Amino acid sequence: MTDIQVLNSLVSMSSKMPTNPLALAVLALCFERPMHPYEMAATLKRRQKHESIKLRYGSLYTVIELMTSRGLIRSKETSRGGKRPERTVYALTPAGRDLLRSWMRHLLAEPAKEFPQFEAALCLLPVLPPDEAVALLRDRRSRLEEKLVQMRAELQDILGRTFAEVAGADEELPAPLLGLKFPAILVVENEYRLTLDFVTELVRRITEQGWGPTSLWRDMQASCEREYQRENDAATQETASTAGSSMEVG
């Protein structure tokens, strides 16, 4: 998301529910404890939240500036350590807390229309012949399987560590949390992402049940391909003819 998109998504915060997940993350982090921007980014990366929420430093600072101007977070203190640049710590305001809670309630309870790229490809699936689509879906499944193996290993690793082991060196934890295992609730989004069911089932239905139906799908795609080739050949011939006429005139 560009800084302009960030501005557009936050500009009407007071009139409707915002849509920028990075802003939601900032509110959640400040709800946990006051933080400076660098610590926010480091915490999101350390907890692998950047896999679910797009993180760019430029966008993060834009979000923080806008949220501060709207009274959702406030500057608590500014400090400088050694030769490091000056850092401002931000805390959550009552208005920010109210927005955080209402926003979370809305996201969890209300299904939203999203526009993922894979869904776009699915809605245009007849562009490809069935056999090629199946082959590509199988490739996708293989790549997903490789990714899921990595994700499961990372999830198992983080759940086997304590709060203190996951926390950064500059993160102060309440004493009761220091020896506790890192809880699954803090990485629940990984459970959501760990699935191959849809792609696997779609391949099975196409190959075993002729879903589509496959015969109609194949005929439609082939007809479009023939029409495209006919149109393209005609355009090529027209271009060549025009070029030839121009040469003769010259």
Side-chain angles (χ1 to χ4, degrees):
M1 179 175 286
T2 65
D3 288 348
I4 292 177
Q5 289 174 307
V6 170
L7 284 165
N8 290 338
S9 67
L10 293 176
V11 71
S12 56
M13 267 190 170
S14 60
S15 61
K16 66 177 183 179
M17 197 66 64
T19 58
N20 185 353
L22 186 56
L24 180 65
V26 169
L27 291 175
L29 289 169
C30 290
F31 174 67
E32 182 177 334
R33 68 178 182 280
M35 293 188 189
H36 54 72
Y38 177 81
E39 185 181 6
M40 293 179 191
T43 300
L44 290 173
K45 287 188 174 182
R46 187 166 56 248
R47 297 177 182 175
Q48 300 178 2
K49 303 305 181 185
H50 63 294
E51 296 286 348
S52 301
I53 298 172
K54 187 173 182 178
L55 175 62
R56 292 176 62 247
Y57 281 97
S59 297
L60 176 61
Y61 282 99
T62 301
V63 164
I64 290 172
E65 181 180 347
L66 285 165
M67 295 176 74
T68 302
S69 69
R70 301 186 193 290
L72 300 171
I73 58 176
R74 61 179 174 82
S75 172
K76 180 182 179 182
E77 60 186 18
T78 300
S79 62
R80 183 190 302 273
K83 297 182 178 180
R84 292 186 304 183
E86 195 174 72
R87 289 178 173 175
T88 301
V89 174
Y90 294 91
L92 192 65
T93 66
R97 179 184 177 278
D98 290 345
L99 177 62
L100 172 62
R101 292 175 67 85
S102 61
W103 195 353
M104 283 293 296
R105 287 167 178 157
H106 175 78
L107 289 176
L108 289 175
E110 298 291 336
K113 179 56 187 172
E114 299 171 352
F115 298 91
Q117 294 186 40
F118 182 54
E119 184 176 336
L122 289 175
C123 80
L124 302 172
L125 200 56
V127 166
L128 299 175
D131 294 344
E132 183 178 359
V134 167
L136 292 169
L137 287 168
R138 283 174 170 159
D139 287 343
R140 179 184 182 88
R141 182 176 60 186
S142 296
R143 293 185 175 92
L144 285 173
E145 286 172 343
E146 294 174 2
K147 179 65 175 177
L148 293 184
V149 168
Q150 176 185 347
M151 288 173 56
R152 289 190 180 101
E154 292 173 349
L155 183 60
Q156 184 176 4
D157 174 67
I158 197 170
L159 292 179
R161 298 159 69 187
T162 64
F163 263 107
E165 290 170 334
V166 174
D170 59 346
E171 187 172 344
E172 296 182 7
L173 294 173
L177 296 181
L178 293 177
L180 294 181
K181 290 289 186 181
F182 198 77
I185 184 61
L186 296 184
V187 285
V188 67
E189 71 279 5
N190 288 305
E191 299 277 346
Y192 171 71
R193 289 157 53 201
L194 285 172
T195 179
L196 277 173
D197 292 348
F198 175 78
V199 175
T200 300
E201 177 62 11
L202 183 57
V203 169
R204 187 195 67 78
R205 289 162 66 194
I206 295 172
T207 57
E208 297 181 12
Q209 299 179 353
W211 175 89
T214 307
S215 57
L216 177 61
W217 173 3
R218 183 176 290 109
D219 291 345
M220 289 170 56
Q221 192 279 332
S223 176
C224 290
E225 182 68 26
R226 287 192 300 271
E227 186 58 31
Y228 161 76
Q229 292 294 348
R230 187 181 303 113
E231 177 67 22
N232 189 64
D233 289 346
T236 300
Q237 291 174 7
E238 182 177 350
T239 300
S241 177
T242 301
S245 299
S246 298
M247 290 178 66
E248 290 177 6
V249 171

